[in-house]
Amino acid sequence: PDGVGKSTLIAQLRLPCFQRMTQFHFRPGLLGKKPAGVITQPHAQPPRSRLSSLAKTLYYFADHWLGYLGKIFPAKVRRELVVFDRSFEDVLVDPRRYRLSAGSGFARFLKRLLPPPDLTFVLDAEPELVHARKPELGIAELRRQREFLRQLASRTPRCVIISAAETPAQVARTVQRQVIVFLAEREKQRQGG
């Protein structure tokens, strides 16, 4: 959720093993960019109808899939660090943010059709701390999302939970270390070792 330090972390990522960093917020935007702006009340708008929710979920999926082919894969070939601040899984974590009233089973099915990320980081903090940083969601909703994210992380390969209660510099160092370990292990496998 907002308030765990995603934007701060991304601003501090320094990994010289990549040519550059390409960043996306939630989706690649191949099917059109959403209007820019800060969302201060993510649950304020009413949910869409069931049919509209299913269509919107399919739209998000298509943007992620086509965006992978048109933007993400080419960036990876160019040795760029590709970073998402939220991703398709967010429709499962916080469907109300996207005004989805139905389709969680459909979204879970579509998620399995997307190319998996190399690494996923879940920034984790006590709901009270997150609420103190950004009081956009209630403590109960933050608890629900935290539990959902922990369960998602336990079922997702190459997903790492990082304590967001640390200083921003410590969080960035932890993530950078995890990326370097991942790259070293991947290189070792490529070398047959």
Side-chain angles (χ1 to χ4, degrees):
D2 290 333
V4 294
K6 297 180 304 292
S7 299
T8 303
L9 167 63
I10 292 168
Q12 293 194 10
L13 280 180
R14 302 288 180 265
L15 290 158
C17 48
F18 293 98
Q19 300 290 337
R20 61 180 270 221
M21 182 171 75
T22 299
Q23 181 183 347
F24 299 104
H25 180 74
F26 175 56
R27 60 190 181 89
L30 201 68
L31 298 181
K33 290 280 186 194
K34 62 182 180 178
V38 176
I39 298 173
T40 58
Q41 296 180 326
H43 292 178
Q45 294 188 8
R48 295 178 170 85
S49 70
R50 180 171 176 75
L51 183 60
S52 180
S53 291
L54 293 172
K56 195 66 170 184
T57 301
L58 187 59
Y59 171 79
Y60 291 146
F61 166 79
D63 192 55
H64 277 84
W65 179 247
L66 295 172
Y68 180 83
L69 296 175
K71 291 184 176 183
I72 298 165
F73 183 73
K76 288 174 71 171
V77 168
R78 292 188 303 265
R79 295 179 34 139
E80 294 177 18
L81 175 63
V82 178
V83 176
F84 274 83
D85 171 356
R86 302 188 185 276
S87 64
F88 185 77
E89 286 84 355
D90 207 39
V91 300
L92 297 170
V93 176
D94 191 3
R96 285 182 59 196
R97 171 180 289 274
Y98 303 98
R99 300 179 52 212
L100 303 175
S101 61
S104 64
F106 183 53
R108 272 195 279 294
F109 169 74
L110 293 176
K111 176 186 171 291
R112 288 190 293 251
L113 302 177
L114 289 171
D118 292 328
L119 281 172
T120 300
F121 295 102
V122 173
L123 299 181
D124 182 56
E126 292 294 329
E128 294 77 11
L129 175 62
V130 176
H131 188 267
R133 289 177 180 172
K134 285 200 177 177
E136 298 169 353
L137 299 176
I139 304 264
E141 175 62 13
L142 291 169
R143 275 194 192 104
R144 185 199 68 77
Q145 288 187 23
R146 183 184 197 198
E147 183 58 32
F148 190 96
L149 283 163
R150 286 177 163 188
Q151 290 176 9
L152 186 66
S154 72
R155 297 186 310 260
T156 304
R158 297 183 304 236
C159 186
V160 181
I161 296 177
I162 305 288
S163 173
E166 305 294 330
T167 67
Q170 290 170 319
V171 172
R173 278 193 301 275
T174 302
V175 168
Q176 290 165 346
R177 193 175 313 116
Q178 291 286 330
V179 171
I180 291 167
V181 167
F182 168 78
L183 292 173
E185 289 175 0
R186 185 171 68 179
E187 188 59 30
K188 185 177 177 183
Q189 288 175 353
R190 286 180 178 167
Q191 300 295 326

